[in-house]
Amino acid sequence: MISFQSKELLETSIQPFIIPSEKVAHVQMGNSLEHALLLLTKSGYSAIPVLDPRFHFHGLISSPLITDSILGLERIEFEKLDQKKVEDVMNRTVPTIKVNSQFQQALTLLIDHPFLCVVDDVNYFEGILTRRSILKELTKQLHTNKKQ
Ligand code: AMP
């Protein structure tokens, strides 16, 4: 059975595990889908945050969302890529987390999401928290506990 000082870990702040906003690839709501697709393809990320010019978080954009929005009846209508904007197709219903949240809350949300966007009280974008970084910390704690 897995057993460790779970209470302490679960109450830890997520702050040390956040990738800061300056290191996060993002697009603006008014960018074209072509720009977003280029960024997604070049970066290799499955989805990236959508921000406004004042750096507030509004949602996520992904390659499947973009492809789906330019699907015609018999072909992919690539010419629509520079006509449509990110704000026309982005996903606005994604959970966010606050900088001072605890590990426990992040763990629960990361079951269904590969990463979470971290925002402050007025939705200013602070960075992201990935499932990878949380799993890495969990594994570290489990190994440390095994040795004791
Ligand atoms: P990873 O845990 O590194 O595999 O990242 C999981 C997902 O988080 C990626 O597919 C992206 O959607 C997002 N992500 C991770 N790092 C970044 C970054 N620096 N900029 C934008 N999105 C990121």
Side-chain angles (χ1 to χ4, degrees):
M1 194 176 84
I2 298 172
S3 138
F4 60 110
Q5 298 304 320
S6 54
K7 192 164 185 293
E8 202 178 313
L9 174 65
L10 293 176
E11 288 176 359
T12 302
S13 161
I14 61 161
Q15 202 148 14
F17 310 107
I18 296 172
I19 300 175
S21 57
E22 60 271 19
K23 291 190 179 160
V24 178
H26 74 272
V27 285
Q28 300 271 329
M29 318 226 333
N31 286 150
S32 69
L33 290 189
E34 186 172 26
H35 174 81
L37 190 58
L38 256 171
L39 196 53
L40 281 160
T41 307
K42 279 196 165 180
S43 65
Y45 295 135
S46 53
I48 51 175
V50 181
L51 308 180
D52 67 20
R54 289 169 59 217
F55 241 64
H56 290 105
F57 175 73
H58 287 269
L60 294 178
I61 188 79
S62 66
S63 304
L65 273 177
I66 295 176
T67 318
D68 191 57
S69 77
I70 57 166
L71 263 192
L73 280 180
E74 289 180 4
R75 64 179 196 93
I76 299 175
E77 297 167 345
F78 287 106
E79 64 279 9
K80 287 194 174 157
L81 278 178
D82 65 351
Q83 297 162 7
K84 290 192 176 192
K85 290 183 174 173
V86 168
E87 64 192 333
D88 301 328
V89 303
M90 61 191 263
N91 181 5
R92 294 171 192 262
T93 51
V94 286
T96 55
I97 193 162
K98 297 271 163 61
V99 186
N100 54 5
S101 301
Q102 294 178 344
F103 209 86
Q104 185 166 16
Q105 193 188 349
L107 255 185
T108 308
L109 288 170
L110 285 167
I111 292 172
D112 292 325
H113 304 275
F115 73 100
L116 298 169
C117 289
V118 186
V119 295
D120 73 4
D121 289 338
V122 291
N123 229 30
Y124 184 84
F125 180 68
E126 304 271 10
I128 60 169
L129 183 71
T130 63
R131 187 185 281 160
R132 179 202 294 266
S133 66
I134 291 297
L135 283 180
K136 210 167 140 186
E137 183 60 21
L138 254 184
T139 310
K140 199 172 109 191
Q141 298 272 346
L142 283 173
H143 282 299
T144 309
N145 194 59
K146 223 161 98 181
K147 282 186 196 151
Q148 284 168 0

